[in-house]
């Protein structure tokens, strides 16, 4: 009888709860880390609702969260997530602030969604550090916490193992990113498929895109076709000029419309897709590095390694060692995997 390999311990995640937290953010945290998807190959998580005591925590709309652990459990957590607030100036209980300070001193990763940045700022943990919140709260955060280096436009950012995110949907992006960096792109894609959301948006994208005019709507359709074309030809040496020609635009006009529609530049988007493709191939196949670099469109292993170091702070070989779950390679000559395999079933085209 074959001996089954021992399963890795569940990743321990703490949801910090106190009166005033947003029900939406609680739901996002619970959906990402509190749903068992191990039957689909997702990692095992141990999500705990942590509060000062066992008293139910009231939330807007007649909801209540029932804690299952007290603050002492934070010493066991691998990740601590702070939801946003209904009233962004809500003072967090002193024991919560003290516990967050101790957790950061221990080296535990902290993440705040939307107005949860105000809670971290109350604890003094954002003083002198870069942070982001909902675009409509940036001035409020600057006014009440002037020592925080508030970044004006991003989806999520990290500084000294402290993550902050912009509003609502950006909280989903950050949660999936935290899964990706700990468990790999395939794990994040599995969860994203279940949630029917895009598995990959970079933190540097703009928080919001202005409402399009009818002309911009037509441009968006064209740009969606360009992105689909790019995803199917990533293995080719595509340039921004190539994509502009496919769209029937000048490079300058194409870049302007692309950034307005997606919140990121064509070059950055193209690089993000190449990195995502390489991650999938490293996780799913045992292809040699030069072949992965070719299929992802980097041209050479050296170039791929440089971009991994710059964007992921690791090497392709180290990434494979950490996240590899080999599966059959795509058929030779097919280039990069198709858009379904690259994005885990949720295409970034609409984003």
């Amino acid at each position: 009888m074959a001996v089954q390999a021992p399963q890795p311990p569940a990743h321990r995640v703490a949801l910090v709860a106190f009166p005033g937290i947003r029900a939406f953010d609680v739901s996002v945290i619970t959906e990402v880390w509190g749903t068992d998807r191990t039957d689909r190959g997702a990692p095992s998580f141990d999500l705990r609702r942590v509060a000062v005591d066992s008293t139910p925590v009231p939330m807007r709309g007649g909801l209540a969260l029932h804690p299952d652990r007290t603050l002492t459990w934070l010493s066991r957590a691998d990740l601590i997530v702070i939801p946003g607030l209904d009233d962004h100036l809500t003072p967090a209980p002193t024991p919560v602030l003290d516990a967050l300070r101790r957790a950061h001193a221990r080296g535990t990763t902290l993440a705040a969604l939307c107005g949860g940045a105000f809670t971290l700022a109350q604890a003094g943990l954002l003083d002198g550090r870069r942070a982001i919140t909902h675009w409509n709260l940036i001035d409020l955060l600057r006014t009440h916490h002037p020592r925080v280096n508030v970044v004006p436009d991003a989806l999520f950012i990290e500084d000294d193992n402290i993550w902050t995110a912009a509003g609502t949907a950006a909280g989903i992006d950050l949660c999936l990113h935290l899964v990706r960096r700990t468990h790999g792109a395939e794990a994040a894609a599995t969860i994203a498929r279940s949630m029917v959301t895009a598995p990959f948006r970079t933190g540097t994208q703009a928080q919001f895109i202005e409402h399009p005019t009818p002309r911009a709507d037509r441009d968006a359709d064209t740009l969606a076709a360009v992105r689909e074309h790019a995803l199917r030809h990533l293995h080719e040496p595509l340039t921004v000029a190539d994509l502009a020609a496919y769209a029937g635009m000048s490079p300058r006009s194409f870049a302007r419309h692309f950034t307005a529609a997606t919140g990121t530049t064509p070059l950055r988007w193209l690089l993000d897709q190449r990195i995502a493709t390489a991650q999938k191939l490293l996780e799913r196949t045992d292809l040699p590095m030069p072949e992965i670099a070719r299929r992802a469109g980097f041209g050479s292993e050296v170039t791929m390694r440089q971009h991994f170091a710059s964007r992921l702070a690791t090497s392709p070989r180290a990434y494979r060692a950490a996240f590899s779950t080999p599966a059959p390679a795509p058929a030779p000559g097919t280039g990069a995997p198709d858009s379904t395999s690259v994005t885990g079933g949720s295409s970034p085209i609409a984003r």
Side-chain angles (χ1 to χ4, degrees):
M1 174 182 275
V3 177
Q4 198 169 30
Q7 295 298 311
H11 193 67
R12 293 170 300 221
V13 181
L15 186 167
V16 176
F18 56 89
I21 58 173
R22 293 179 70 218
F24 179 87
D25 292 343
V26 169
S27 298
V28 168
I29 296 166
T30 303
E31 183 64 27
V32 171
W33 286 290
T35 301
D36 184 0
R37 301 181 179 92
T38 53
D39 60 333
R40 282 163 273 178
S44 176
F45 300 116
D46 182 9
L47 175 66
R48 299 294 175 175
R49 300 175 296 276
V50 176
V52 174
D53 54 39
S54 60
T55 305
V57 175
M59 296 186 293
R60 183 175 291 178
L63 303 174
L65 182 148
H66 294 264
D68 54 14
R69 293 292 186 274
T70 61
L71 294 171
T72 57
W73 196 81
L74 295 184
S75 64
R76 302 179 56 194
D78 301 302
L79 169 66
I80 298 171
V81 190
I82 302 97
L85 308 167
D86 286 320
D87 178 350
H88 307 290
L89 299 182
T90 299
T94 298
V96 168
L97 300 179
D98 289 341
L100 292 176
R101 296 185 192 105
R102 289 193 298 269
H104 180 255
R106 287 192 301 269
T108 306
T109 300
L110 304 180
L113 310 188
C114 193
F118 285 81
T119 300
L120 291 176
Q122 288 177 38
L125 292 172
L126 298 182
D127 288 353
R129 297 190 173 99
R130 297 163 63 248
I132 187 64
T133 189
H134 189 287
W135 60 269
N136 200 37
L137 301 175
I138 286 174
D139 289 341
L140 188 67
L141 183 60
R142 284 173 171 160
T143 298
H144 287 269
H145 300 282
R147 298 184 64 185
V148 179
N149 180 11
V150 182
V151 176
D153 194 13
L155 292 181
F156 54 83
I157 58 174
E158 179 269 344
D159 193 334
D160 194 21
N161 209 26
I162 298 176
W163 295 83
T164 50
T168 313
I172 300 175
D173 294 320
L174 174 55
C175 291
L176 290 173
H177 178 75
L178 292 171
V179 172
R180 186 182 305 110
R181 70 190 290 266
T182 305
H183 302 282
E186 183 63 18
T190 297
I191 295 172
R193 279 195 297 270
S194 176
M195 295 174 65
V196 196
T197 189
F200 186 73
R201 287 206 298 169
T202 60
T204 54
Q205 282 189 224
Q207 285 197 33
F208 68 96
I209 301 166
E210 297 290 353
H211 293 296
T213 62
R215 166 69 197 200
D217 284 339
R218 292 196 296 272
D219 288 341
D221 290 339
T222 299
L223 295 173
V226 170
R227 292 196 292 276
E228 182 174 8
H229 170 78
L231 288 173
R232 296 185 183 280
H233 295 83
L234 278 179
H235 59 290
E236 299 175 6
L238 294 173
T239 66
V240 174
D242 293 332
L243 299 181
Y246 188 86
M249 301 180 185
S250 69
R252 174 177 288 187
S253 177
F254 173 74
R256 183 174 67 253
H257 288 295
F258 191 99
T259 302
T262 66
T264 190
T265 66
L267 187 60
R268 180 177 289 275
W269 181 87
L270 191 59
L271 178 58
D272 288 340
Q273 305 313 313
R274 295 196 191 286
I275 289 175
T277 297
Q279 287 177 297
K280 298 282 184 169
L281 291 171
L282 289 165
E283 291 183 29
R284 294 177 176 180
T285 78
D286 58 1
L287 288 169
M289 293 296 168
E291 179 63 10
I292 288 178
R294 185 192 72 79
R295 295 192 185 201
F298 287 113
S300 73
E301 181 182 351
V302 171
T303 301
M304 180 172 70
R305 187 164 59 244
Q306 290 171 342
H307 285 299
F308 263 64
S310 172
R311 301 296 288 277
L312 303 178
T314 189
S315 70
R317 293 183 187 277
Y319 186 91
R320 169 174 273 172
F323 301 119
S324 175
T325 53
T334 58
D338 65 24
S339 60
T340 300
S341 65
V342 168
T343 62
S346 179
S347 172
I349 292 167
R351 306 303 288 248

